[in-house]
């Protein structure tokens, strides 16, 4: 499967609006994947472990800890000169709510068998990778964590993007563990399996997220107004 590498100068109104639809669809698929990893019921993800660890050592609850981590990651993204686009905004506004929607609707029963739980997590990781693929194709920015992954990946060009994800997750997990965050077998599967699943899927469809040139909010707004994109 071929994909188009977008530049700052490309994209009319129709393409941009279609990109928003693709972002929302991708985030919905991603959220379903997150829901599956939760329903597997065999351990938190590395980022959730990190968030729980932070909550143990601060007055913040889990939700506020995750918000704080997201802000810090976003600052790091900006320092790495990653674009903040409409995809970033939509990710911040929708992903958590989509996950909550699936949790409330609860289309899948909670897993009781650990082995089956591992298979459920792998299926969830596959959906998360596909969701990332769909919304990254819009070239309108990524969520803070994905932008961090891409920023690191661009600085580690000789390493497959799946391996970069594995390294990032391992570091996040280590920090969470040192802070006392809970770890289960699912946490380990998530940490090392996510990068492997991502690399397999992206290799099959021929997708390299580091080749996407994302557009910032300012550039996209300029295109919507039929103005020459700003250098941003």
């Amino acid at each position: 499967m071929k994909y188009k590498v977008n530049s700052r100068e490309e994209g009319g109104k129709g393409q941009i609006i279609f990109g928003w639809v693709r972002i929302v669809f991708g985030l919905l698929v991603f959220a379903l994947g997150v829901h599956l990893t939760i329903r597997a019921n065999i351990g938190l993800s590395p980022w959730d472990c990190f968030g729980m660890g932070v909550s143990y050592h601060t007055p913040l609850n889990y939700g506020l800890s995750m918000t704080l981590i997201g802000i810090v990651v976003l600052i790091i993204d900006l320092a790495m000169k990653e674009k903040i686009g409409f995809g970033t905004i939509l990710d911040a506004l929708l992903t958590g709510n989509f996950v909550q929607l699936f949790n409330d609707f609860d289309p899948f029963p909670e897993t009781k068998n650990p082995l089956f739980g591992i298979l459920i997590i792998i299926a969830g990781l596959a959906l998360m990778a596909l969701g990332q693929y769909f919304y990254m194709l819009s070239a309108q920015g990524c969520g803070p964590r994905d932008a961090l992954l891409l920023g690191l990946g661009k600085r580690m060009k000789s390493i497959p993007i799946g391996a970069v994800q594995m390294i990032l997750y391992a570091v996040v997990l280590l920090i969470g563990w040192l802070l006392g965050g809970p770890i289960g077998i699912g946490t380990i599967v998530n940490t090392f399996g996510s990068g492997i699943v991502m690399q397999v899927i992206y290799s099959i469809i021929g997708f390299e997220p580091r080749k996407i040139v994302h557009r910032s909010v300012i550039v996209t707004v300029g295109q919507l107004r039929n103005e020459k994109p700003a250098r941003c």
Side-chain angles (χ1 to χ4, degrees):
M1 183 181 296
K2 301 294 184 180
Y3 66 96
K4 184 178 181 180
V5 178
N6 294 273
S7 72
R8 286 181 293 223
E9 289 74 23
E10 293 177 334
K13 290 182 179 180
Q15 183 186 4
I16 291 171
I17 293 173
F18 176 72
W20 292 345
V21 174
R22 185 158 48 191
I23 290 170
V24 173
F25 175 74
L27 293 176
L28 191 64
V29 173
F30 182 87
L32 177 58
V34 173
H35 171 74
L36 286 179
T37 65
I38 294 172
R39 297 308 285 167
N41 195 34
I42 54 175
L44 300 175
S45 72
W47 285 106
D48 290 330
C49 174
F50 185 16
M52 289 296 291
V54 171
S55 71
Y56 294 159
H57 297 274
T58 67
L60 305 176
N61 59 26
Y62 166 77
L64 290 176
S65 295
M66 292 301 291
T67 300
L68 176 62
I69 291 171
I71 292 172
V72 172
V73 171
L74 185 58
I75 292 173
I76 296 174
D77 295 338
L78 291 171
M80 298 175 76
K81 298 182 180 181
E82 291 301 309
K83 301 290 193 311
I84 304 302
F86 279 101
T88 311
I89 297 171
L90 290 171
D91 181 280
L93 293 176
L94 298 179
T95 303
N97 290 308
F98 281 163
V99 174
Q100 189 60 54
L101 177 66
F102 283 118
N103 289 344
D104 291 340
F105 182 62
D106 200 14
F108 305 103
E110 187 176 85
T111 305
K112 302 298 182 181
N113 185 300
L115 182 58
F116 187 60
I118 292 175
L119 297 178
I120 293 296
I121 283 185
I122 293 174
L125 294 176
L127 286 175
M128 290 166 66
L130 287 173
Q132 290 171 309
Y133 162 73
F134 283 116
Y135 87 74
M136 284 184 186
L137 275 184
S138 71
Q140 296 187 52
C142 305
R145 300 175 194 175
D146 290 335
L148 176 61
L149 170 64
L150 292 182
L152 293 172
K154 292 172 185 176
R155 290 159 175 79
M156 305 166 69
K157 295 181 180 180
S158 62
I159 301 177
I161 192 66
V164 177
Q165 168 112 316
M166 198 181 304
I167 293 170
L168 174 60
Y169 273 24
V171 171
V172 170
L173 176 60
L174 176 61
I175 297 173
W177 176 72
L178 291 174
L179 291 173
I183 295 177
I185 185 173
T187 312
I188 306 301
V189 173
N190 204 312
T191 300
F192 298 102
S194 60
I196 295 173
V197 171
M198 172 186 284
Q199 191 62 48
V200 169
I201 290 177
Y202 288 177
S203 295
I204 291 173
I205 64 179
F207 179 58
E208 173 49 76
R210 287 173 287 196
K211 291 184 178 180
I212 298 291
V213 180
H214 290 276
R215 294 169 291 195
S216 70
V217 171
I218 295 174
V219 170
T220 304
V221 170
Q223 291 175 322
L224 287 172
R225 297 174 61 186
N226 291 319
E227 295 176 354
K228 186 178 180 180
R231 289 288 177 179
C232 186

